[in-house]
Amino acid sequence: MTPRLSDRTPQVAPEALVDQMVPPPMFDDVSFDSYIPAPDEPSQAEAVEAGRDFVKRAQKARSGKRGLFGKKQASTGVGLYLDGGFGVGKTHLLASIYHAMPAPKAFATFVEVTHVVGALGFANAVERLSDHSVLCIDEFELDDPGDTMLVSRLLAELTEAGVSIAATSNTLPGQLGEGRFAAQDFLREIRKLSSVFETVRVDGPDYRHRDLPPAPEPRTTEELTELAESTPGATLDDFDALSEHLATLHPSKYKDLIEGVTLVCISDVHPAADQSIALRFVVLADRLYDANIPVTVSGSKLDEIFTEEMLSGGYRKKYLRATSRLLALSRSADTSDRAG
């Protein structure tokens, strides 16, 4: 019988969460040099230079200044905020910053940072991170005021301890006004840090969809089952059963949930019944994308999970990012199957 994700119940010790704050495997070897700016998008080349400059300033801040009695103390951390659309390489640049900084250092999505603070407690999280040279936060989000203020308070304390902060955020392509507004909201929310952050715009089309066809057609139930059974390391889950199982797990465990999986097969996919289900699939999509695990389905297409009503609401950017990533993973599965 093909293994199911819904049969897995991973256990993650809170103390291990900080150690897991590293870039996704696909960004293990990236650098500023390996980022290729689009010739017709000058903001991309400017973002590379901004990233290099941030590293220099952050390293200087961490090396500190002479205090009383000649003892070195860390200077206030510096900040960089990369604001742009989906798939323009912001995560590549953020991971490049991470790799260029000395250890200890941390890299996590905004959601993962909130999970770490929740699991460790605020004071413990500050203590564990305050000796880091940099905290890189991917996909900073503004749709939950409580989480945003929590992280804002965390960043304020960390920068005072000399930790520099680099962050990214998504803006819908073609909606530059909305992008600038999001950046200003970010700076306003972390008002204590507003004078520290440099905001840099990164424009361009989503590389995941350049010259690509639309979402692959779903497979039949029989085709999906046969593929799962013939693929070592594959899992096969019913959409509703997987949705129910995800509700029983803290999202910080989703990374361990898919550990060692080579292909995720989901049968009877259909539009999510409510926002809670949809948001859990957003987190799962992020972890699958980070691990570069192909996804293939039966039922509805993967770009039909999030309803028009959901896409018109406050979580629009999350859903569009997840759809972009799921389609990339489904094309990967489709290509691999044809190659095989």
Side-chain angles (χ1 to χ4, degrees):
M1 181 178 177
T2 305
R4 303 189 307 169
L5 291 177
S6 51
D7 290 331
R8 294 184 168 200
T9 308
Q11 301 298 320
V12 184
E15 297 74 22
L17 292 176
V18 172
D19 295 334
Q20 294 180 357
M21 296 173 75
V22 297
M26 69 173 65
F27 297 105
D28 281 349
D29 301 316
V30 302
S31 66
F32 293 119
D33 289 338
S34 65
Y35 182 94
I36 309 300
D40 55 346
E41 297 289 352
S43 66
Q44 294 186 8
E46 293 166 3
V48 173
E49 291 311 307
R52 293 183 190 274
D53 180 65
F54 169 82
V55 169
K56 292 178 182 177
R57 293 186 293 122
Q59 289 176 340
K60 184 177 180 180
R62 193 70 238 180
S63 64
K65 56 188 177 182
R66 294 287 178 183
L68 293 176
F69 311 111
K71 184 177 181 181
K72 275 204 168 186
Q73 300 172 334
S75 303
T76 301
V78 298
L80 177 67
Y81 177 67
L82 300 173
D83 177 52
F86 306 108
V88 296
K90 299 188 306 299
T91 303
H92 182 132
L93 292 174
L94 194 65
S96 299
I97 289 172
Y98 173 90
H99 292 310
M101 290 295 293
K105 50 191 173 181
F107 183 110
T109 64
F110 178 86
V111 172
E112 289 173 327
V113 171
T114 62
H115 293 165
V116 167
V117 176
L120 295 179
F122 186 84
N124 193 10
V126 171
E127 182 180 354
R128 292 287 301 275
L129 293 169
S130 61
D131 64 341
H132 284 45
S133 65
V134 70
L135 171 59
C136 298
I137 305 178
D138 205 14
E139 301 154 11
F140 201 102
E141 298 169 352
L142 293 168
D143 44 38
D144 188 320
D147 281 348
T148 301
M149 293 307 295
L150 174 69
V151 175
S152 298
R153 182 180 163 212
L154 174 72
L155 300 192
E157 297 213 14
L158 291 180
T159 53
E160 288 176 8
V163 182
S164 292
I165 311 294
T168 72
S169 179
N170 285 321
T171 300
L172 299 182
Q175 297 186 1
L176 304 186
E178 181 177 338
R180 295 192 184 101
F181 178 75
Q184 291 306 308
D185 274 0
F186 172 80
L187 297 176
R188 188 161 55 245
E189 285 297 329
I190 50 173
R191 29 178 108 68
K192 291 183 180 179
L193 303 175
S194 61
S195 62
V196 174
F197 271 82
E198 174 191 4
T199 305
V200 175
R201 177 82 195 169
V202 190
D203 294 315
D206 187 340
Y207 76 89
R208 291 184 287 267
H209 302 309
R210 292 174 192 162
D211 304 317
L212 291 174
E217 289 296 322
R219 301 173 189 269
T220 65
T221 301
E222 293 73 20
E223 289 172 341
L224 189 71
T225 301
E226 182 179 349
L227 177 62
E229 291 176 347
S230 62
T231 304
T235 59
L236 174 61
D237 288 85
D238 171 77
F239 181 81
D240 288 332
L242 180 57
S243 299
E244 292 177 7
H245 185 59
L246 292 178
T248 69
L249 299 175
H250 191 278
S252 62
K253 297 181 179 180
Y254 288 11
K255 181 184 295 185
D256 291 87
L257 177 71
I258 60 172
E259 180 70 29
V261 174
T262 61
L263 172 68
V264 168
C265 301
I266 308 175
S267 63
D268 298 320
V269 168
H270 59 79
D274 58 56
Q275 200 112 260
S276 60
I277 293 173
L279 290 172
R280 292 185 196 106
F281 266 91
V282 168
V283 179
L284 181 64
D286 286 342
R287 300 293 78 76
L288 289 170
Y289 184 77
D290 288 346
N292 197 26
I293 299 174
V295 178
T296 189
V297 303
S298 68
S300 298
K301 294 181 180 180
L302 282 168
D303 59 0
E304 297 173 354
I305 291 179
F306 310 114
T307 65
E308 287 300 320
E309 181 180 3
M310 292 173 182
L311 292 174
S312 300
Y315 296 111
R316 174 180 176 83
K317 290 182 181 180
K318 280 189 177 185
Y319 295 142
L320 290 175
R321 183 188 74 230
T323 298
S324 172
R325 291 181 164 187
L326 286 171
L327 293 188
L329 294 174
S330 67
R331 293 190 187 105
S332 177
D334 192 52
T335 302
S336 298
D337 185 38
R338 291 179 186 277

